Amino acid sequence: MNSTLQLLKEQLAELNSAVEVYQHDEKHEEYLPMIPLGLKETKEVDFFEQFSDFILEHYSVDPSNFEDSILDLIDTRQASRTPTRDQAGVELLCKYYNLLYYAERRFFPVEQRNIGLFFEWFDSITGEPSCQKTIALEKASILFNIAALYTQIGAKTDRTKVDELNYAVDCFLKASGIFQHIIETFTNAPSFDLQPYVLDIFVLLMRSQAHECRFKVLQMENSTDYERLFIESNCLMREYGKIHYDIQLNGINLPACWEALIPLKTEFFKSLSHVYFAKNVAKTELQNKDAMNDKNRLKIIKAHLQASQSSHEEILRLQRMCRELRTKIKISKVLHDLEECICNEMYTLPENINDDEGEIIDTTIKETTSKCNLVNIAPDFGKVEDPFKELGPIAVFSARRSWSAPRSVRLHKTDYQTKSNGTEEFGFCIKSNSPVMISHVDINSVADLGGLKVGDFIVEINGHDAKYYTQAEVLENIRISMNTLDLKIITPMQFISKPGFVSDLIEKSFAHLSDTSSSGISSGASSPTNTNKLLKNRFSNVWKNLRYKMK
């Protein structure tokens, strides 16, 4: 059983790490393959029942109004499991990732109360499953797939065209930026491919592959700028060498094809750097023959070409050692072209150039700084509309907040409280927008007797949804309601559970009576006969005694 399981893991790793499947399929192209990442797989998740129950329980709203929104979210997730390998597939994954933001805010509380949903994803490298009830795994996995899709698109581009190569550079830098975003945003990764030290390798790898595409553009546009080509190939050698070193240092087990291709590219660009260094020395001496002795110049050129041959032999050894790379015809063509280039440069040297008296020429190339300004491209996921917008503004109506069940209040002004012109106030002030909050309630007013409390939100007014109403819209509805006002309000749970909150509000209400708040506009004219002042004087002594007893 263990042998069979290990064989299955190797087969899965070989499938997910295939470097030739995602390459451009033109047979005349000769290049070293790029390393594209495989997508993470997941099982189907149906959260229709859980979301419907949560809407009814938490928001006290009929879930049938949101059936289409939930089904669209499920369909989007199902489609994102098998996206197309193009920009349309990237846009689909970005759309689902944006929808996850609204789903998290609407249905997943901060305390991560289990609502009966579990997300299971398989590691893209090892194939091992990871299952969590938190939506963070879902979001991180979708981000990983977006980055992996960019790597596949970048590897699929035609590397014989400059515009395609520049597009590949953007794809690899976007993938690098998303991997960096995962590192900075998500912690406690449950799978191997989401571990920070693995993602660090992916960041470096994608930037190096972007640099490699930029180097190819330089070869096509400035084929005789040997100094620049030498600098960039030397930098690529060090970049791939660092990746190989970090993999060995951290003991990261990547697919065998990747582990062989990275050092192979290290030696390949090392060999190229020696060739371009030799060409640059020859070109410089031709322009200025007094710069150095002609014999020493030829010895230096020969020594670097020999160093290039040594690196080429190491490349061939690495290719023979890896079963996957051994059969890659395009790699063999690239290595054959490199060998021909070295031999042609050797043939240009005189036959009598030998290392006299055992002289050893130092072929160590000093570190150089790349002139390609490559930086990670920050992810841009676009925007989508909130599918659950009818629940209310997400800043208030989210799973992170709790409130009482909506209650209906009818405020009716009696003949005693109503003036002949019918504009007497209901006795409360409002503030904020979307939704409007009760900021003040007059003692013994129509609003007070009707059950309005400071901190209540108005979610419906005269039968119209008021969750997105502004103060002006609420005041307009109050004005046209005349003597009868129908409200539906909710009370945040922090106001209900806070000890002594009602007493504090009463005391603050007395202090507020003599002030006019610009944010808490009254629903009508000020009270006649100065009723509020009389009430304050009447209950002041009672309130002081009550506070003394409570202490």
Side-chain angles (χ1 to χ4, degrees):
M1 290 179 62
N2 289 335
S3 300
T4 304
L5 180 61
Q6 185 63 29
L7 180 61
L8 290 174
K9 286 184 177 181
E10 291 178 0
Q11 291 175 350
L12 179 62
E14 183 177 351
L15 288 174
N16 287 343
S17 64
V19 296
E20 197 169 46
V21 174
Y22 305 110
Q23 311 299 319
H24 196 256
D25 55 1
E26 290 294 333
K27 295 182 179 180
H28 65 272
E29 292 184 16
E30 298 176 358
Y31 50 76
L32 293 180
M34 296 292 181
I35 298 180
L37 305 185
L39 301 183
K40 293 173 68 69
E41 304 288 341
T42 181
K43 290 185 176 180
E44 184 177 350
V45 178
D46 184 2
F47 34 74
F48 182 84
E49 182 179 351
Q50 288 82 355
F51 281 9
S52 298
D53 292 343
F54 193 85
I55 290 174
L56 180 61
E57 173 191 351
H58 187 75
Y59 295 97
S60 302
V61 178
D62 185 4
S64 62
N65 299 331
F66 299 92
E67 286 184 359
D68 292 340
S69 299
I70 299 175
L71 291 176
D72 288 343
L73 182 62
I74 295 174
D75 292 342
T76 304
R77 186 187 191 276
Q78 182 67 17
S80 65
R81 295 175 62 190
T82 55
T84 56
R85 267 63 175 180
D86 52 21
Q87 189 61 34
V90 173
E91 292 175 359
L92 174 63
L93 291 177
C94 290
K95 176 184 176 181
Y96 180 61
Y97 179 76
N98 288 330
L99 291 175
L100 286 177
Y101 165 79
Y102 296 110
E104 181 181 21
R105 295 289 300 274
R106 298 290 191 182
F107 302 105
F108 292 86
V110 175
E111 62 272 15
Q112 299 296 345
R113 177 170 62 89
N114 186 9
I115 63 173
L117 280 178
F118 291 89
F119 301 98
E120 185 172 7
W121 286 82
F122 295 89
D123 195 291
S124 64
I125 298 176
T126 65
E128 297 179 356
S130 300
C131 184
Q132 284 190 355
K133 63 182 180 180
T134 62
I135 200 172
L137 174 61
E138 183 89 348
K139 295 173 67 178
S141 299
I142 291 296
L143 281 177
F144 184 94
N145 280 357
I146 295 174
L149 204 55
Y150 271 125
T151 67
Q152 295 178 11
I153 296 173
K156 196 73 173 177
T157 55
D158 185 358
R159 269 167 270 171
T160 62
K161 300 177 181 178
V162 174
D163 56 343
E164 290 280 324
L165 283 168
N166 290 330
Y167 180 63
V169 171
D170 290 339
C171 289
F172 287 124
L173 291 180
K174 287 178 180 178
S176 178
I178 293 175
F179 286 133
Q180 188 64 42
H181 179 70
I182 298 175
I183 296 173
E184 297 171 354
T185 307
F186 298 94
T187 57
N188 302 323
S191 60
F192 171 76
D193 55 5
L194 292 177
Q195 295 293 332
Y197 58 90
V198 178
L199 293 175
D200 282 333
I201 296 295
F202 291 160
V203 170
L204 295 176
L205 179 60
M206 296 310 135
R207 292 184 63 178
S208 297
Q209 294 191 140
H211 192 182
E212 184 177 346
C213 292
R214 188 65 60 83
F215 175 75
K216 184 66 176 178
V217 173
L218 183 64
Q219 283 182 315
M220 297 169 63
E221 295 180 342
N222 300 283
S223 58
T224 58
D225 189 357
Y226 300 130
E227 182 180 3
R228 177 74 185 279
L229 291 170
F230 148 68
I231 291 174
E232 300 303 333
S233 59
N234 185 40
C235 291
L236 278 167
M237 174 200 70
R238 288 188 285 108
E239 289 175 6
Y240 280 113
K242 184 180 186 309
I243 295 172
H244 182 56
Y245 174 79
D246 290 345
I247 291 174
Q248 293 181 323
L249 180 65
N250 296 312
I252 301 175
N253 294 321
L254 295 177
C257 182
W258 296 5
E259 292 184 351
L261 187 57
I262 292 173
L264 186 147
K265 287 193 174 186
T266 303
E267 292 297 328
F268 176 78
F269 288 107
K270 180 179 179 180
S271 179
L272 271 184
S273 64
H274 283 293
V275 171
Y276 285 126
F277 186 88
K279 287 186 175 183
N280 187 53
V281 170
K283 179 181 177 181
T284 304
E285 185 59 23
L286 288 175
Q287 295 174 353
N288 185 10
K289 292 193 174 183
D290 296 333
M292 62 175 67
N293 182 272
D294 186 62
K295 187 175 182 179
N296 290 336
R297 175 182 64 83
L298 295 176
K299 286 184 178 180
I300 292 175
I301 294 174
K302 183 178 180 180
H304 279 278
L305 291 176
Q306 289 175 340
S308 180
Q309 284 181 329
S310 299
S311 296
H312 182 267
E313 293 175 359
E314 178 64 15
I315 297 171
L316 296 176
R317 186 188 71 82
L318 292 172
Q319 186 189 22
R320 290 193 301 268
M321 293 290 291
C322 181
R323 182 183 59 185
E324 289 79 7
L325 298 183
R326 194 185 310 156
T327 58
K328 299 295 186 293
I329 299 176
K330 292 184 178 181
I331 296 179
S332 300
K333 288 183 178 179
V334 172
L335 299 183
H336 181 264
D337 291 343
L338 176 61
E339 183 180 16
E340 282 190 352
C341 178
I342 298 172
C343 292
N344 291 336
E345 293 298 321
M346 279 290 193
Y347 291 150
T348 61
L349 299 176
E351 296 181 358
N352 59 351
I353 299 298
N354 298 316
D355 297 332
D356 299 335
E357 301 177 0
E359 181 182 3
I360 299 176
I361 298 177
D362 185 15
T363 58
T364 304
I365 299 178
K366 296 182 180 180
E367 291 189 4
T368 55
T369 303
S370 173
K371 296 182 180 180
C372 296
N373 186 20
L374 298 176
V375 294
N376 296 339
I377 298 178
D380 181 14
F381 305 111
K383 294 182 180 179
V384 297
E385 186 178 355
D386 183 4
F388 307 99
K389 184 178 181 180
E390 293 182 8
L391 290 174
I394 199 169
V396 176
F397 297 93
S398 67
R400 303 178 182 182
R401 297 197 177 197
S402 300
W403 51 85
S404 65
R407 62 185 187 275
S408 298
V409 174
R410 168 164 287 191
L411 304 181
H412 181 70
K413 293 181 287 189
T414 62
D415 295 339
Y416 172 76
Q417 297 165 322
T418 307
K419 283 186 173 182
S420 58
N421 57 9
T423 58
E424 174 59 38
E425 63 179 7
F426 286 99
F428 67 94
C429 298
I430 59 175
K431 69 175 182 180
S432 72
N433 294 310
S434 303
V436 172
M437 177 188 287
I438 306 298
S439 63
H440 171 70
V441 179
D442 292 341
I443 302 299
N444 207 29
S445 64
V446 178
D448 186 26
L449 297 176
L452 291 186
K453 305 294 183 184
V454 173
D456 286 346
F457 288 115
I458 300 175
V459 296
E460 188 177 301
I461 181 168
N462 293 331
H464 301 289
D465 190 355
K467 296 186 184 73
Y468 289 95
Y469 274 14
T470 62
Q471 293 184 38
E473 291 172 323
V474 170
L475 289 176
E476 178 63 20
N477 279 269
I478 292 174
R479 186 186 65 80
I480 64 177
S481 63
M482 301 300 290
N483 297 332
T484 302
L485 180 63
D486 290 323
L487 299 175
K488 185 174 286 187
I489 60 174
I490 59 174
T491 303
M493 295 303 294
Q494 62 266 28
F495 292 166
I496 297 175
S497 60
K498 186 175 180 180
F501 184 76
V502 177
S503 301
D504 293 340
L505 284 180
I506 295 175
E507 185 178 27
K508 292 178 181 179
S509 297
F510 283 131
H512 182 269
L513 293 177
S514 60
D515 299 331
T516 301
S517 173
S518 60
S519 60
I521 304 174
S522 176
S523 58
S526 60
S527 176
T529 68
N530 207 0
T531 305
N532 294 329
K533 184 175 182 180
L534 294 175
L535 286 171
K536 177 179 178 182
N537 295 332
R538 179 179 176 183
F539 290 102
S540 59
N541 293 329
V542 178
W543 174 243
K544 290 179 181 179
N545 294 333
L546 179 60
R547 289 181 61 191
Y548 178 76
K549 291 180 180 180
M550 290 175 66
K551 290 180 180 179

